[in-house]
Amino acid sequence: AAKKQPNAHWCRFSPELSVQAHERVVMEHDLREAIAQRHLHLHYQPQVLSQAVGRLHGVEALARWNHPVWGAVSPARFIALAEDSSLIQDLTRWLLEAACAQMARWRKARLPVPQLAINLSARNFHDPQLAEQVQAALTRHGLQPHDLVLEITESVMMDASAAAVANLHKLNVMGLQLSLDDFGTGYSSLSHLHRLPISELKLDQSFVRDLESSPAATALIRSVLSIARSLGMKVVAEGVETREQSEWLQRHGCAVMQGYLFCRPVSAAQLEYWLRAQSAKTTGA
Ligand code: C2E
Ligand code: MG
Ligand code: MG
Ligand code: MG
């Protein structure tokens, strides 16, 4: 009887696991192709200033993959897949190129996009060539370092390897702004916060979601805002979906907001349309 259970376990799960493993291999292959063939694309989500209605702080670029058979694959899924293989390097190289090319088009068209934020993976910070790659992309497109913001996750700080810390400092010295994404969900200690050249915290959307229902979430947001203020950092609230959330955040001194309430992540063309509608609103046209 003692033997029966592990066997039963295997019989039930083994075929399913192998299907999953197979699907993973196929997907990894397809993702490699998609990166090589430039089949990924970017969506853009505005980040609005809470004190100047209609004014933009910046835009975040979010990667999208439409698989010919599976349709839209969620970034959570394909980014994880890329991180588990060596594909994340190729993906980030593509991302830097695509994001800088778009920013250069906006600059040329005099569109008021103050800065473009892109997401980097913890693994990118172990790459000793990261800073050179970023510089090369900026130069290729005639951009300045302050045109780009690099969003990093707390896992970069967690392992805080020598290479990662060196990259953070190099990028900061080059003039790039570093923003800590999904803040509050990881394990970064407060000592990391003031030792590393981070200029912005992105308050994770889970706290914003619980803003109206959970006193604990509310207390947490208040203390994040207060810590950020004393360290001279900006806070961007993510996942703002309701008028109530936005008003609360504005009242409590959160400088920047991002979320469906203002605009979903959209194509470059849709973002340009949104920007025009926005400026028509503020100029009263
Ligand atoms: P993130 O950087 O924290 O991005 C915010 C996520 O929240 C995005 O999900 C965005 O679509 C979603 N979001 C924005 N506003 C709202 C809202 O009001 N309500 C709700 N419920 N969600 C909102 P998305 O696009 O699925 O991306 C998921 C994650 O994938 C990103 O989280 C980021 O960590 C990663 N990611 C996306 N693009 C890239 C990329 O190019 N490179 C890397 N390394 N990671 C990326
Ligand atoms: Mg982000
Ligand atoms: Mg986030
Ligand atoms: Mg996230």
Side-chain angles (χ1 to χ4, degrees):
K3 261 191 185 162
K4 215 173 165 186
Q5 222 152 349
N7 281 342
H9 179 87
W10 270 109
C11 289
R12 240 183 330 144
F13 289 103
S14 171
E16 196 180 314
L17 267 183
S18 76
V19 167
Q20 273 179 18
H22 178 252
E23 194 182 276
R24 201 187 157 81
V25 171
V26 171
M27 214 180 208
E28 193 179 313
H29 168 270
D30 289 0
L31 180 58
R32 176 169 287 118
E33 285 286 287
I35 297 168
Q37 312 276 327
R38 308 284 183 262
H39 287 165
L40 299 184
H41 60 283
L42 288 173
H43 271 182
Y44 302 91
Q45 188 175 35
Q47 305 174 314
V48 304
L49 291 171
S50 58
Q51 297 302 330
V53 188
R55 270 201 37 223
L56 212 55
H57 168 68
V59 164
E60 178 176 6
L62 293 155
R64 296 291 179 258
W65 180 24
N66 276 316
H67 187 278
V69 175
W70 298 313
V73 183
S74 104
R77 187 137 181 242
F78 71 82
I79 295 295
L81 188 70
E83 282 172 344
D84 291 345
S85 56
S86 56
L87 287 175
I88 193 65
Q89 257 109 11
D90 296 340
L91 192 146
T92 298
R93 202 164 301 125
W94 163 80
L95 169 68
L96 276 166
E97 176 57 31
C100 289
Q102 183 58 68
M103 191 59 174
R105 282 195 287 275
W106 285 334
R107 282 274 177 278
K108 215 171 151 207
R110 299 188 182 288
L111 243 81
V113 176
Q115 55 188 30
L116 182 60
I118 63 170
N119 293 280
L120 295 184
S121 292
R123 277 192 61 176
N124 293 135
F125 284 87
H126 296 150
D127 183 348
Q129 287 171 359
L130 178 66
E132 284 77 13
Q133 253 175 52
V134 171
Q135 185 57 65
L138 289 172
T139 307
R140 213 159 39 238
H141 294 283
L143 296 175
Q144 300 301 313
H146 59 248
D147 290 331
L148 268 197
V149 176
L150 305 179
E151 295 193 3
I152 66 176
T153 56
E154 286 174 284
S155 51
V156 176
M157 322 250 281
M158 236 168 72
D159 62 24
S161 68
V165 173
N167 265 327
L168 287 173
H169 285 290
K170 232 196 272 180
L171 289 160
N172 176 246
V173 168
M174 279 164 57
L176 282 113
Q177 300 174 72
L178 301 168
S179 171
L180 194 51
D181 207 349
D182 302 341
F183 185 71
T185 57
Y187 303 90
S188 65
S189 72
L190 294 177
S191 81
H192 278 142
L193 267 192
H194 89 103
R195 267 193 314 112
L196 295 174
I198 307 288
S199 60
E200 183 180 274
L201 301 178
K202 295 193 77 176
L203 185 65
D204 190 67
Q205 55 188 55
S206 57
F207 301 110
V208 177
R209 192 189 314 125
D210 294 343
L211 186 55
E212 290 136 300
S213 58
S214 152
T218 312
L220 208 131
I221 298 180
R222 277 180 201 269
S223 32
V224 170
L225 288 169
S226 136
I227 288 168
R229 201 171 307 121
S230 46
L231 293 175
M233 293 174 177
K234 266 166 294 178
V235 176
V236 179
E238 292 193 278
V240 180
E241 294 185 354
T242 70
R243 184 64 55 204
E244 288 72 26
Q245 290 164 348
S246 126
E247 281 166 6
W248 190 95
L249 288 160
Q250 184 177 1
R251 256 199 328 276
H252 290 81
C254 179
V256 187
M257 297 185 280
Q258 180 178 353
Y260 296 168
L261 177 66
F262 310 100
C263 187
R264 292 191 173 244
V266 291
S267 70
Q270 287 171 307
L271 183 81
E272 288 155 24
Y273 181 86
W274 184 89
L275 283 169
R276 276 194 292 272
Q278 208 67 15
S279 82
K281 244 190 264 173
T282 50
T283 57

